[in-house]
Structure formats: C-alpha cells, structure tokens
Amino acid sequence: DGQPLHDMNEEQRARLRGEKVGFIFQSFMLVQSLTALENIMLPAEITGMSNPKKRAQEILKQVGLDHRANHFPNQLSGGEQQRVAIARAFITNPKILFADEPTGNLDSKNSQKVEEILFRLNQESDTTLVLVTHDASLAARCSRVIHIEDGLLAADSKHKGKG
C-alpha cells in the first residue's frame, strides 16, 4: 500500500497490521473467554472502529452464525469456530488477508461452507487473499497459484485473472 515496512518501527508495523492486514489461522485462535460476537468485535475495538458491535453483528449474520452470537468457542463446532475466525478477519476490511490452511481442520461439508464464505467475503471486500493450502481444489479457486516445494518456487506456477 505504498508504505515501506523497513522504514517503520515495531509500533508503526503493529498499527499497519491492525488497520490493513487480516489473519485466518488453521487452529482458529479464538479467545476462549469471549463469545463469538466478542471475538469478532475484538480487532474492530483495537483499531478504534466506530460501533464495532453493529458491524460484528452484521458480519456474523453474513457467515450464518447470528443465532450463535453469545456462544463461547467451546460451544461451537469446528466449522462454526472457523466461520467466526473468518468474520473476525474481515471485520476491519483489511487490504490483505493471510489464511493458513483455512479448511485444514474441517470435514468436507464444513470445508465447502467455509470455502464459499471465504471467497464471497473476499470478493465483496475487494481484499487481496493470500492462501496457504495443500487442498488442490481450494487452490484451484484462486486467481494465482504458486507452488512451493522444499522451500523453492516450483516451475508450474500459474496465473489467471487480475491476481
């Protein structure tokens, strides 16, 4: 976004991450003592977004979990936890979103649901999505695929669309 990271101190980089970067982890990384709604609100509150509760309720509905807003992570299925994690990642409308094996811990039914939500929100938000996956069908949905083998770029990387 035109801001050289090497010229920033740690505080400036942290602020940039909070404002422009989202993360979705394979292991969900939800705060166990917070409800689904509170987990989603957390990054919005940290960045000072106005009315984070309203935005969190909207995005919770977008991922189909508005009826689970007051449930804690241990009361949610793996697929539901990952949908909360996706909602949390998108609440600040990041410019770039990093997703590490977002369907890796899910069964095929939940993987498909999470995949649909992830790509729909990505398109609606016009966010650059950087996705790490071993799932070939998930990778095939991306506009650009880069294969890494043994720490090196593989020769069969492909690019389609705007990237």
Side-chain angles (χ1 to χ4, degrees), residues 58-91:
E58 290 168 357
I59 200 163
L60 194 58
K61 187 172 185 173
Q62 286 182 283
V63 300
L65 290 175
D66 48 323
H67 65 288
R68 306 283 274 164
N70 295 315
H71 288 80
F72 291 93
N74 67 352
Q75 298 171 314
L76 302 172
S77 71
E80 289 171 332
Q81 288 183 58
Q82 191 62 305
R83 287 188 277 160
V84 169
I86 289 169
R88 179 186 58 195
F90 276 103
I91 193 168

Side-chain angles (χ1 to χ4, degrees), residues 113-132:
K113 186 180 285 190
V114 163
E115 183 179 324
E116 292 302 321
I117 290 168
L118 179 62
F119 282 98
R120 178 176 44 80
L121 288 175
N122 181 60
Q123 187 173 19
E124 291 171 3
S125 302
D126 197 29
T127 296
T128 297
L129 176 63
V130 177
L131 180 70
V132 176

